[in-house]
Amino acid sequence: MNPHPNEVLFEGEKPFPVLPAVDHYAGSEKLILKALSLQQQMGPLFDVTCDCEDGAPAGQETEHAGMVASIIASPENRHDRVGVRIHDVTHPHWRRDLDILITGAGARIAFVTLPKVRGVTDASVQVDALRTLEARHGIAPIPVHVLIETHGALREVWQIAALDAVESIDFGLMDFVSAHHGAIPASAMRSPGQFSHPLVVRAKTEIAAAALGNGVVPSHNVTTELKDIEYIRADAARARNEFGFLRMWSIHPNQIEPIIDAMRPDFSEIEEASEILVAAQNRAWGPIQHGGRLHDRASYRYYWTLLQRAHATGSPLGKEIETRFFTVGDSA
């Protein structure tokens, strides 16, 4: 078998992270366990983020972080796709959050999300604290997701996205709108306003551009609709197709499947990518012709990223593609 695409298409480059299309938030023990039960049924098609910020009752931050750490370290975390959101850098408990979580769950934490950073300095302070704890406990660096919801964070989003630790840049729509002191109407917190108000559109496009320009995943804010599946799917489709977001938050189990549906490539794209990559691998990744067009490693990188995204969203790829590119032990 010729080399795997990860071995030849990104030489000298950082491979683009391939994450599940949904980041599902849960705050209480009951909701976290419910989300993990659903993840066990569906497979690792979505991540679960245990919320130690808004999910922790005031005065019970230590107990809450301990509960989260114990669940992440437990057999309930079958796929190791569970992350955490800690308190922001101005909160007195954020360092204790990290200490409890790293001590109790360690390398089983899929990622750490940093909320309400005011700029690259805040993000760097928390990343440095995380790295110190990891070194103390002898675990590899955990990916970091940064939530952009302040004026300062948006102003410095390119520098934040460029930090080595960062895997995802997330948009916090509600706090961002609130930070404008009424200058942006509440209607911009939901559709269609969230996709049309100029200040919100500016934030979304800048976040997506900064993330993609630095090789990290842009993650879209939640939709406030909990029951109308077509409404949820339409929000996710606009986030993906009009703004370039590759991942989206969920706050209710009803939102998970329609978001995945909207984020996955369509069948014709998957079919074309599969044909091109099979032919390219058969030619040891040299140039090929397909459908009357020339393809080389530049286009192979695009189609490989698309195929990885299809796989991450559970799209059927066929036995040959699964065997060639996604069988454990064959992929890098």
Side-chain angles (χ1 to χ4, degrees), residues 272 275-276 288-295:
E272 182 179 34
E275 292 172 357
I276 289 170
I288 64 165
Q289 288 189 35
H290 180 270
R293 293 182 174 86
L294 179 68
H295 291 279

Side-chain angles (χ1 to χ4, degrees), residues 22 35 86 124 170 175 209 213 300:
V22 176
I86 64 171
S124 297
D170 305 358
D175 281 289
Y300 300 158

